[in-house]
Amino acid sequence: MTVASRPMSIEAISIPSSDINFGAKVENLDVEHLSDNDFALIREALYKSQVVVIKNQSGCSPKAQFELTHRFDPAAHGYGHGKTIDGKKSILHPDLKTVPHQQEVQIIGNGFIPEYEGLQNFKLVHPHHRKFHKHAIPEADDLTHTRFYRWHIDAALYDLNPPKVTSLLAVSVPKGRTQTLRYDDGTGEELQVPLGTTAFVSGYTMYDILSEADKDFVRTSRIEYAPHPYVWMSPTKSRSDGLGLLSEDLELPSSELPPIDPAKIQILPMVWKNPVTGKLAVQMHPSAVRKIHCKDGTVIDDLAEVREIVHRLQRPGIAPNRVYAHDWEEGDLVLFNNQGVLHSVVGAFAEDEVRLFRQCNLAASEPPLGPDDGIVL
């Protein structure tokens, strides 16, 4: 158990020579015994800084991790993807294992684990870009170079509301080397990253840097997501920058998806409002988009065109100078505003490099705030 002997401190994360304007680090907090005042400070930091790194939480139990995540939305219940991860065709299925005694908490990582939280002799597989991207980095460069695997929001995007907050706890972290992240999209852009980093970008910055015409477009348009999107997209391949899919007519037809209830198909704003600051974030899952509903009532339903529009709007926001690549240390408990940032798995591990993390998010009790909605404190 980690016991705070000094007052909790919160300070902004500063990344030299970057345009990163989000992120905060918290010291001297006992998550196992969180007071109402402590939580109020953490909540304020989360919605003002978007990513909060709580240090030295190796003793945090799955129960405490769930309870902290749950406090951001006390009416929420159930894992954010529901049971969709159980579908064998879902692209999420191989990446997660569930803590048996805390069903809302998932185990992710890389390598063989003899025993953890009631599970025994299991293997974790870190998502590798070669399984999802159309074109992969050559095998000879695999351990020195990497990609953004998939920029996304943690959300089922069918039936269930997108979670408000995700928590990630680093239990075991391999250290000792970095990798060169390649965009491989014709720009020549690269980024030096810690091994196995989680990359974050701000949807608020993504909105702020748009032209006035594009700001009007995203404020007044809505995205329709594919039904059962993680099954629907399973045969497809990603762009090399991890920001959406290539259009090759590989998506599964409706006849090969689980039963579809039209009432559960989600049509969400392109822009979501921060419930504390009122700021607007471009918040779309680029791999799951299907149609764009425009303010004049027209619908853009050509999938290739939809993807190109979304990519054009989001791509400036993932430029190297705007990416916060967290350098994980064991015991880091990271909370992020899932309705204000996008994130991506990154990295390629050797077989003997063991990485063990816990993840928790909950399907929200209400839809995200749109640009014209009032703030609910």
Side-chain angles (χ1 to χ4, degrees):
M1 181 182 300
T2 301
V3 178
S5 58
R6 293 173 292 170
M8 177 176 63
S9 66
I10 303 175
E11 62 180 41
I13 292 173
S14 177
I15 310 294
S17 303
S18 78
D19 292 327
I20 298 165
N21 58 1
F22 63 98
K25 181 174 71 171
V26 176
E27 303 268 12
N28 305 315
L29 180 66
D30 182 3
V31 170
E32 290 284 335
H33 302 87
L34 198 65
S35 71
D36 290 342
N37 183 65
D38 287 342
F39 175 73
L41 293 173
I42 293 298
R43 182 181 185 274
E44 181 181 32
L46 189 282
Y47 283 114
K48 289 184 176 180
S49 300
Q50 318 320 322
V51 176
V52 172
V53 182
I54 307 175
K55 305 296 290 185
N56 302 312
Q57 297 303 313
S58 293
C60 175
S61 65
K63 181 175 184 289
Q65 182 178 358
F66 160 71
E67 289 175 346
L68 171 57
T69 311
H70 191 224
R71 287 180 80 159
F72 286 91
D73 189 359
H77 58 88
Y79 180 55
H81 283 280
K83 295 186 179 298
T84 59
I85 61 169
D86 296 334
K88 299 297 183 183
K89 290 184 178 179
S90 170
I91 62 171
L92 304 179
H93 174 74
D95 302 339
L96 302 166
K97 294 190 180 297
T98 300
V99 173
H101 54 88
Q102 194 69 60
Q103 294 286 309
E104 302 86 356
V105 179
Q106 311 301 321
I107 301 169
I108 58 177
N110 186 75
F112 178 76
I113 310 295
E115 191 279 329
Y116 185 70
E117 294 293 344
L119 296 173
Q120 294 184 340
N121 299 323
F122 60 98
K123 185 176 182 180
L124 298 172
V125 179
H126 186 74
H128 194 292
H129 79 274
R130 75 164 68 95
K131 294 183 179 180
F132 189 57
H133 289 200
K134 175 71 172 179
H135 304 288
I137 291 172
E139 186 72 26
D141 296 335
D142 186 58
L143 295 183
T144 56
H145 292 74
T146 188
R147 297 249 186 90
F148 299 120
Y149 177 72
R150 178 172 59 243
W151 287 106
H152 66 285
I153 304 162
D154 287 337
L157 297 171
Y158 175 81
D159 187 22
L160 303 173
N161 291 319
K164 294 185 177 182
V165 174
T166 292
S167 62
L168 280 172
L169 175 69
V171 178
S172 178
V173 180
K175 303 291 286 186
R177 63 186 178 92
T178 62
Q179 293 182 305
T180 300
L181 185 145
R182 292 168 33 177
Y183 284 65
D184 284 337
D185 60 356
T187 63
E189 290 184 323
E190 294 183 341
L191 181 67
Q192 202 69 19
V193 297
L195 177 64
T197 183
T198 304
F200 298 95
V201 292
S202 168
Y204 305 100
T205 297
M206 199 173 281
Y207 176 79
D208 289 343
I209 61 179
L210 292 176
S211 69
E212 291 304 314
D214 282 340
K215 285 180 180 177
D216 179 72
F217 178 74
V218 297
R219 282 198 309 268
T220 58
S221 300
R222 295 178 298 154
I223 285 287
E224 178 176 329
Y225 290 96
H228 304 290
Y230 304 102
V231 178
W232 170 80
M233 72 176 73
S234 58
T236 64
K237 295 298 180 182
S238 173
R239 295 173 181 262
S240 294
D241 59 11
L243 192 68
L245 304 175
L246 297 171
S247 296
E248 301 176 302
D249 295 323
L250 297 176
E251 298 77 19
L252 290 181
S254 298
S255 60
E256 296 185 32
L257 298 178
I260 298 171
D261 181 349
K264 295 181 179 180
I265 293 175
Q266 295 207 335
I267 304 175
L268 299 175
M270 283 187 169
V271 169
W272 299 356
K273 180 179 285 187
N274 187 300
V276 170
T277 68
K279 292 190 66 176
L280 301 181
V282 173
Q283 203 67 355
M284 298 178 282
H285 190 316
S287 296
V289 297
R290 180 62 190 86
K291 301 177 183 179
I292 296 175
H293 294 249
C294 303
K295 65 178 177 181
D296 63 2
T298 60
V299 177
I300 303 172
D301 60 3
D302 180 271
L303 182 56
E305 182 180 359
V306 170
R307 285 172 172 159
E308 288 299 324
I309 291 170
V310 171
H311 187 268
R312 180 183 66 80
L313 293 168
Q314 292 187 309
R315 176 59 177 83
I318 69 164
N321 60 318
R322 298 189 174 108
V323 176
Y324 170 50
H326 182 60
D327 191 0
W328 287 100
E329 296 182 347
E330 292 180 4
D332 281 356
L333 177 60
V334 171
L335 306 173
F336 61 88
N337 174 10
N338 188 56
Q339 299 187 359
V341 301
L342 267 66
H343 67 287
S344 178
V345 170
V346 181
F349 293 97
E351 189 171 346
D352 62 348
E353 290 177 316
V354 176
R355 182 181 194 261
L356 178 61
F357 278 51
R358 294 203 315 256
Q359 178 211 64
C360 181
N361 59 60
L362 305 167
S365 59
E366 57 193 357
L369 295 174
D372 298 322
D373 292 332
I375 294 177
V376 180
L377 299 177

